[in-house]
């Protein structure tokens, strides 16, 4: 190797050694500075604040812009669908825009009114909002069809709702005071009643026995069921006195599940849905404290 080459290698070696020493010194200085920075309370505060801010932003995302009213495609389509009940035609652009403008105005007024609190104390608004939420809760409830065991157990407790009741058919004169009714009874028995009384006498056919008390009173119901068939008698209802003739009694019959299974399942499903929806409302209620003023 020439002297020039040896001289170059020696210089390169010294240069590399010096660069290595300089790099080591720089790295050592950086580590020392970083350690010092990590001990700074201000940095700890800034990092902690950033974490808190990020967590808050995640838990409480910024509210949507209340000043933005979005007219969706679905909304526009609903206006088109409900424009003409007979579906003879669809609205033109001007008519559609008029409906959209009306909805936008209503939405803006609703938001502004809610901001001002005009809905507070208004029972109509409260009831409509509550009804809408109730509808949403019902819509979210998913109840499967009842099993045969469930339906039979429910039917055993509710069969009276499906049983065919005893029915009666009878004639009755219009209500009057007792003396007038007794006079009518005598005329009828002697077959000298007036044409007017005949025209005013009503025929009531196949009336369910359980409905008699509600319609005419307990005394009338009990008296009619004790009356002999095809005989005129005097009975008092809630409205007054009547001359009555019981013409027919048709006995009731207990229902069989096999005959009304579809109807029973439908009613069971409705009642079970209502029950689960009320349970959902009760869970919401658990978050509130109910106070009653004396």
């Amino acid at each position: 190797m020439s002297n020039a080459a040896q001289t170059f290698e020696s210089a390169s070696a010294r240069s590399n050694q010096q660069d290595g020493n300089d790099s080591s010194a720089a790295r050592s200085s950086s580590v020392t500075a970083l350690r010092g920075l990590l001990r700074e309370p201000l940095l700890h505060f800034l990092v902690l604040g950033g974490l808190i801010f990020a967590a808050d932003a995640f838990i409480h995302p910024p509210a949507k812009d209340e000043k933005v009213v979005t007219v969706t495609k679905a909304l526009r389509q609903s206006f088109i669908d409900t424009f003409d009940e007979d579906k003879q035609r669809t609205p033109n652009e001007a008519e559609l825009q008029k409906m959209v403008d009306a909805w936008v105005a209503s939405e803006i007024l609703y938001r502004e009114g809610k901001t001002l609190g005009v809905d507070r104390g208004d029972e109509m608004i409260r009831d409509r909002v509550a009804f809408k939420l109730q509808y949403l809760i019902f819509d979210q409830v998913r109840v499967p069809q009842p099993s045969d065991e469930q339906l039979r157990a429910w039917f055993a407790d509710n069969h009276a709702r499906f049983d065919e009741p005893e029915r009666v058919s009878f004639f009755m004169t219009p209500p009057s005071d007792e003396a007038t009714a007794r006079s009518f009874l005598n005329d009828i028995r002697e077959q000298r009643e007036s044409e007017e009384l005949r025209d005013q006498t009503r025929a009531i056919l196949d009336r369910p026995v359980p409905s008699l008390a509600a319609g005419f009173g307990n005394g009338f119901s009990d008296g009619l069921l004790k009356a002999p068939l095809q005989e005129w008698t005097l009975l008092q209802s809630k409205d007054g006195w009547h001359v009555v003739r019981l013409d027919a009694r048709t006995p009731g019959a207990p229902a069989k599940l096999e005959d009304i299974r579809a109807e029973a399942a439908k009613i069971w499903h409705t009642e079970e849905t209502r029950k689960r929806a009320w349970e959902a409302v009760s869970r919401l209620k658990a978050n509130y404290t109910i106070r009653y003023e004396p």
Side-chain angles (χ1 to χ4, degrees):
M1 182 180 294
S2 66
N3 291 334
Q6 290 178 349
T7 302
F8 178 78
E9 287 184 358
S10 298
S12 295
R14 285 195 300 271
S15 176
N16 290 338
Q17 184 178 4
Q18 182 62 40
D19 289 344
N21 292 338
D22 290 344
S23 297
S24 298
R27 283 197 297 270
S28 176
S29 176
S30 297
V31 170
T32 302
L34 181 59
R35 288 175 178 171
L37 186 60
L38 289 175
R39 288 195 293 268
E40 283 292 330
L42 178 60
L43 179 64
H44 296 170
F45 176 82
L46 291 175
V47 172
L48 182 60
L51 290 174
I52 293 174
F53 180 81
D56 184 72
F58 177 78
I59 298 172
H60 305 288
K64 294 181 179 178
D65 190 350
E66 291 296 327
K67 299 298 183 182
V68 174
V69 177
T70 303
V71 180
T72 64
K73 290 182 179 179
L75 182 64
R76 287 170 60 87
Q77 187 61 46
S78 71
F79 292 146
I80 295 173
D81 293 341
T82 59
F83 176 73
D84 186 355
E85 292 182 358
D86 296 328
K87 307 298 182 187
Q88 296 296 319
R89 72 181 185 91
T90 58
N92 56 40
E93 281 301 319
E95 290 168 332
L96 181 58
Q97 189 59 47
K98 187 175 181 179
M99 289 187 288
V100 169
D101 290 343
W103 180 86
V104 168
S106 176
E107 178 68 14
I108 291 172
L109 290 173
Y110 170 74
R111 294 187 189 186
E112 292 296 321
K114 192 173 181 181
T115 300
L116 293 173
V118 297
D119 57 324
R120 295 171 192 158
D122 191 317
E123 293 296 315
M124 184 178 295
I125 294 177
R126 185 184 71 86
D127 290 345
R128 290 188 67 179
V129 172
F131 177 79
K132 186 172 183 179
L133 183 57
Q134 174 182 313
Y135 176 82
L136 291 174
I137 290 174
F138 268 81
D139 191 53
Q140 293 299 316
V141 174
R142 296 290 181 266
V143 179
Q145 290 301 313
S147 65
D148 186 70
E149 183 180 358
Q150 285 177 312
L151 193 58
R152 288 189 179 280
W154 180 86
F155 180 74
D157 294 333
N158 294 273
H159 70 86
R161 298 162 62 174
F162 303 93
D163 293 343
E164 179 61 34
E166 180 184 5
R167 296 179 181 271
V168 292
S169 297
F170 57 96
F171 289 91
M172 66 184 302
T173 61
S176 63
D177 58 79
E178 185 177 4
T180 301
R182 288 190 181 279
S183 176
F184 288 159
L185 177 60
N186 292 331
D187 289 344
I188 291 172
R189 284 176 174 174
E190 296 296 328
Q191 298 185 356
R192 60 172 185 262
E193 70 274 11
S194 67
E195 189 71 27
E196 180 182 7
L197 182 60
R198 289 197 197 101
D199 292 341
Q200 292 179 342
T201 299
R202 290 194 298 156
I204 298 177
L205 306 176
D206 293 327
R207 177 80 180 227
V209 168
S211 71
L212 289 173
F216 303 101
N218 289 321
F220 182 94
S221 176
D222 293 341
L224 182 66
L225 296 177
K226 292 175 183 177
L229 289 173
Q230 304 296 323
E231 286 189 20
W232 291 98
T233 187
L234 203 64
L235 290 177
Q236 184 181 20
S237 75
K238 296 188 296 184
D239 299 323
W241 289 85
H242 308 264
V243 182
V244 179
R245 189 183 78 185
L246 178 62
D247 265 23
R249 294 182 67 166
T250 305
K256 297 179 180 179
L257 179 59
E258 289 70 22
D259 297 333
I260 47 89
R261 177 179 290 274
E263 182 183 2
K266 183 177 180 180
I267 296 175
W268 178 92
H269 192 273
T270 299
E271 293 186 351
E272 187 67 17
T273 301
R274 185 180 295 114
K275 174 186 172 184
R276 296 191 186 186
W278 182 249
E279 289 173 353
V281 173
S282 298
R283 287 193 294 271
L284 291 175
K285 186 178 178 182
N287 297 321
Y288 290 80
T289 299
I290 311 300
R291 293 193 179 96
Y292 295 91
E293 293 184 351

